[in-house]
Amino acid sequence: MGLSASKRVRAHLEASPQFSSACNSAYAHCLSLTQHAFAGIKPYQLCSAVDQLHRLLSNSLPIISKWAARPPDRDRVDRAFRSLIRTRESGSMAAREDTVLDESEFEELALELFAECVASNMEMVALKRFAVGAVGIGGVGAALKPGSGVLVAAIAAYALGIGIDLHRWVDG
């Protein structure tokens, strides 16, 4: 059926000039807070940088304001950071204290973080809708007692409609 929701969201964010601009602004803000003492963003700055980025994106990208109402939590930021460092350092152990992220690495981290956050929120809403709809279809089926094939087909059609909605949520 195509790309996963996370990959579609990531592609949408990568193509967005507002996303790139917001990443650059949040990165520059972090550097100015440390008075350019480091060559990039230190790990301890990531949560505040992501919060700043979320504020900027919430005002400029509807997909963020709709599907990521709150900034990603510290645990999610830490997981994305460890994943980025593992990729960068080809499987080395924990990140060292002197690790810094340059501008492109910060944008890569932000892409991964926000794409995963938006996609997981979309999937959670889709699962809730599916559960409610399937129970409703099952309830109507119990009252009308059509064949089980009819119920399965109705639930499958409903699930397909939700899948199509997921694609529209990302694109629209």
Side-chain angles (χ1 to χ4, degrees):
M1 188 172 210
L3 296 172
S4 71
S6 180
K7 288 180 182 176
R8 289 177 61 87
V9 172
R10 184 182 172 96
H12 181 81
L13 293 175
E14 280 180 317
S16 169
Q18 294 94 338
F19 185 82
S20 183
S21 174
C23 285
N24 294 341
S25 179
Y27 183 83
H29 179 74
C30 282
L31 289 181
S32 70
L33 287 176
T34 60
Q35 299 176 350
H36 298 271
F38 309 114
I41 294 180
K42 300 286 275 178
Y44 73 86
Q45 296 177 286
L46 285 176
C47 281
S48 63
V50 168
D51 288 348
Q52 169 77 13
L53 182 58
H54 183 267
R55 278 191 297 279
L56 294 169
L57 292 173
S58 292
N59 294 328
S60 62
L61 283 178
I63 194 170
I64 299 297
S65 59
K66 182 174 183 177
W67 296 107
R70 290 184 216 107
D73 62 15
R74 177 174 289 283
D75 186 48
R76 206 172 253 188
V77 173
D78 288 345
R79 275 195 313 260
F81 173 69
R82 284 191 303 269
S83 174
L84 180 73
I85 293 302
R86 238 187 334 269
T87 302
R88 178 173 82 174
E89 297 180 359
S90 301
S92 75
M93 297 314 269
R96 298 182 315 260
E97 286 185 28
D98 61 340
T99 300
V100 293
L101 298 182
D102 65 22
E103 196 166 1
S104 65
E105 289 172 324
F106 177 69
E107 188 165 345
E108 180 64 29
L109 177 125
L111 275 169
E112 185 66 32
L113 192 58
F114 281 95
E116 192 264 329
C117 186
V118 168
S120 68
N121 287 340
M122 286 178 165
E123 290 165 359
M124 188 171 49
V125 167
L127 285 173
K128 285 179 184 175
R129 285 186 181 183
F130 175 74
V132 169
V135 167
I137 292 169
V140 169
L144 299 178
K145 298 188 184 196
S148 65
V150 173
L151 283 178
V152 169
I155 291 172
Y158 182 72
L160 179 63
I162 289 174
I164 291 170
D165 268 354
L166 271 177
H167 290 289
R168 272 194 247 141
W169 289 341
V170 174
D171 296 333

